[in-house]
Amino acid sequence: MTERHGDWPLWEVFVRARRGLSHVHAGSLHAPDAEMALRNARDLYTRRSEGVSLWVVRASDIEASTPDERDAFFDPAADKIYRHPTFYDVPEGVEHL
Amino acid sequence: MQIGVTSTGSVGVMYGNDFGNAPGEPTSDLPHDDVAFTALLADEGRVEPRDDMPEAYRRTLVRQIAQHAHSEIIGMQPEGNWISRAPSLRRKAILMAKVQDEAGHGLYLYAAAETLGVDRADLVDQLHSGRQKYSSIFNYPTLTWADVGAIGWLVDGAAITNQVPLCRCSYGPYARAMVRVCKEESFHQRQGFEILHTLSHGSPAQKAMAQDAVNRYWWPALMMFGPPDDDSPNTAQSMAWGIKRFSNDELRQRFVDMTVPQAEALDLTLPDPDLRWDDEAGHYRYGEIDFTELFEVIKGNGPCNAERMAHKRRAHAEGAWVREAAEAYAAKQAARSAGAESVA
């Protein structure tokens, strides 16, 4: 779809709430460029000091797995239960293992 | 998944934060699996963008979220009317922050709607052309400063009562937007209560002004919960889908029960001679609501319908040059940095 005149591209916004935490997806907004997207994100998603760092990414630049294929896509992990510590038998009385 | 067909008839490809298919790229042709969808809802699971969902569920959400977003945006007008006439710098700063929050709420909600395969620009067009509605409460005028207090206390109070259950809505992006909105609304309600408390404990004229505002806003606030349950055809389906968690009358009762003791603390009365405590039921009983007024206002015959829409269309048209300038600047910067790269 061609964007209409005045119909700015969509950006996804990620906010780091405080140092020591990862950036987390907060929502999206429209902006003409990255600089305005950052400023709009500050005004929209951090009006109450909810963040110390912001990322904005053009929504069209993100590749995502598709919900329809999620079973096939994530299946390889399902049959490797030996990756979890609970898979293993630990003899009675053994601690700190 | 279903192809998102917007109500203007175009096929939406900008899927918001579902990072959707490129134009022309085929979408999945898997048939909708109603059994899986029903099981997901029964398990209190959340529906996320691009998940398989019934087309009617998607359409209902688009309509509800868009109407909610429009309400936040139109809702800036009645209070914005008083920013230049707020009685002190403190009140002016608070009111500006509140009106800015309403703009923010509108934007969170448009963003949530866009994850369902519609464009914000289309939704705004539909508001401007009258094909989509906003809450009828914003078609009442703000005649005095006390109205700003009554809106914060009663209108935002009713909105919070409606919105808290939406934080558990089955559609993830809507629920997440509502969590943010509800956190911010509690400041709105308190600032309104404080305005009325100051007036009702001021001079007799100030108290009369507060009482007059409450008299005018009480019944419209009760109507914000919508028609009574036996006249609300969409409620059952919305509840089955986990969009709605309580009926209109349940939420209205909850609001009345919370608000009556607050009115006593304000030393103001509520304009309902039938209002009384029902000890057996453990609820306040209120008089009959004149819903013919609600339907008249929804039809466009409220005191300010034409004014609100005219102002919204004008503001949008007058802002066009700002949007175009920002776009031209972005294009110029992009061309410059492309030029600089090719030189280097």
Side-chain angles (χ1 to χ4, degrees):
Chain A
M1 177 180 48
T2 53
E3 276 164 17
R4 279 191 290 190
H5 193 55
D7 196 9
W8 297 337
L10 190 69
W11 302 75
E12 299 298 334
V13 179
F14 299 81
V15 180
R16 184 199 294 287
R18 55 187 162 81
R19 304 182 71 81
L21 297 179
S22 303
H23 286 75
V24 173
H25 184 246
S28 58
L29 51 77
H30 290 270
D33 58 24
E35 188 188 343
M36 286 299 291
L38 270 178
R39 285 174 183 276
N40 290 355
R42 177 200 58 189
D43 291 344
L44 191 55
Y45 291 106
T46 63
R47 283 196 304 284
R48 288 172 174 77
S49 312
E50 291 97 333
V52 295
S53 166
L54 282 171
W55 290 347
V56 291
V57 185
R58 264 186 193 255
S60 58
D61 286 343
I62 294 179
E63 285 296 327
S65 59
T66 60
D68 295 343
E69 293 164 3
R70 80 186 142 204
D71 290 344
F73 192 71
F74 293 106
D75 256 358
D79 61 356
K80 296 180 180 61
I81 50 172
Y82 43 83
R83 282 193 164 131
H84 297 279
T86 47
F87 176 75
Y88 299 92
D89 292 326
V90 175
E92 202 67 35
V94 177
E95 290 180 356
H96 309 301
L97 190 68
Chain B
M1 62 171 278
Q2 317 250 320
I3 298 177
V5 180
T6 65
S7 48
T8 46
S10 63
V11 176
V13 289
M14 184 183 276
Y15 277 87
N17 67 6
D18 71 355
F19 330 123
N21 305 352
E25 187 182 332
T27 54
S28 159
D29 50 5
L30 287 181
H32 168 63
D33 182 351
D34 210 45
V35 176
F37 184 77
T38 307
L40 177 77
L41 292 187
D43 201 29
E44 282 291 307
R46 291 292 179 265
V47 182
E48 293 294 345
R50 284 183 91 195
D51 277 355
D52 171 50
M53 62 183 88
E55 180 55 19
Y57 173 85
R58 194 189 72 84
R59 265 202 319 267
T60 298
L61 276 168
V62 168
R63 195 185 59 233
Q64 178 170 335
I65 300 173
Q67 177 168 333
H68 197 160
H70 300 330
S71 300
E72 301 282 357
I73 297 299
I74 298 287
M76 294 195 289
Q77 291 185 39
E79 292 175 290
N81 186 34
W82 279 91
I83 289 176
S84 63
R85 289 174 284 166
S88 68
L89 188 57
R90 177 180 183 271
R91 298 285 184 204
K92 189 195 291 261
I94 291 170
L95 189 56
M96 281 196 291
K98 178 181 190 294
V99 172
Q100 191 194 13
D101 272 355
E102 307 296 1
H105 297 175
L107 293 179
Y108 305 153
L109 287 160
Y110 283 128
E114 287 193 300
T115 66
L116 290 159
V118 292
D119 286 340
R120 182 178 73 181
D122 284 332
L123 300 177
V124 172
D125 280 351
Q126 293 188 46
L127 170 66
H128 289 171
S129 66
R131 279 171 294 155
Q132 284 182 345
K133 303 281 186 196
Y134 55 90
S135 174
S136 59
I137 192 73
F138 301 116
N139 290 317
Y140 291 89
T142 41
L143 304 177
T144 70
W145 169 250
D147 288 8
V148 177
I151 288 179
W153 177 46
L154 294 175
V155 174
D156 290 320
I160 292 170
T161 309
N162 257 331
Q163 289 169 358
V164 165
L166 287 174
C167 297
R168 294 189 292 117
C169 167
S170 61
Y171 188 58
Y174 191 27
R176 292 191 286 275
M178 292 319 300
V179 169
R180 302 185 68 88
V181 169
C182 287
K183 274 186 192 165
E184 300 182 354
E185 286 286 352
S186 54
F187 134 59
H188 298 180
Q189 194 189 16
R190 282 194 186 190
Q191 66 87 37
F193 185 88
E194 191 196 69
I195 288 172
L196 289 180
H197 193 267
T198 304
L199 290 172
S200 72
H201 292 77
S203 69
Q206 286 171 325
K207 185 168 183 184
M209 188 197 281
Q211 184 63 60
D212 170 63
V214 170
N215 289 350
R216 281 181 290 109
Y217 273 94
W218 172 248
W219 291 107
L222 290 191
M223 291 179 211
M224 285 174 67
F225 296 94
D229 291 349
D230 48 17
D231 191 20
S232 180
N234 301 323
T235 292
Q237 181 62 73
S238 279
M239 288 177 82
W241 276 332
I243 298 174
K244 217 173 157 146
R245 298 291 180 175
F246 300 97
S247 76
N248 294 352
D249 285 332
E250 284 172 317
L251 292 169
R252 191 168 8 245
Q253 184 65 56
R254 188 177 295 181
F255 173 70
V256 171
D257 288 343
M258 284 191 307
T259 307
V260 174
Q262 294 171 0
E264 286 163 12
L266 286 172
D267 196 22
L268 296 171
T269 59
L270 297 170
D272 179 358
D274 297 324
L275 190 68
R276 62 180 173 82
W277 174 252
D278 181 341
D279 208 23
E280 206 171 304
H283 291 295
Y284 286 94
R285 294 295 174 210
Y286 50 91
E288 202 174 327
I289 299 173
D290 177 14
F291 281 104
T292 54
E293 177 184 321
L294 176 69
F295 295 124
E296 277 305 301
V297 180
I298 289 174
K299 267 194 281 178
N301 302 325
C304 300
N305 294 57
E307 183 186 330
R308 298 290 186 239
M309 284 310 299
H311 182 87
K312 176 69 179 72
R313 289 194 202 99
R314 189 171 62 240
H316 190 74
E318 288 176 356
W321 72 270
V322 179
R323 297 190 291 277
E324 286 161 16
E327 209 168 23
Y329 180 78
K332 191 176 77 177
Q333 294 298 109
R336 267 192 198 160
S337 66
E341 267 167 36
S342 66
V343 169

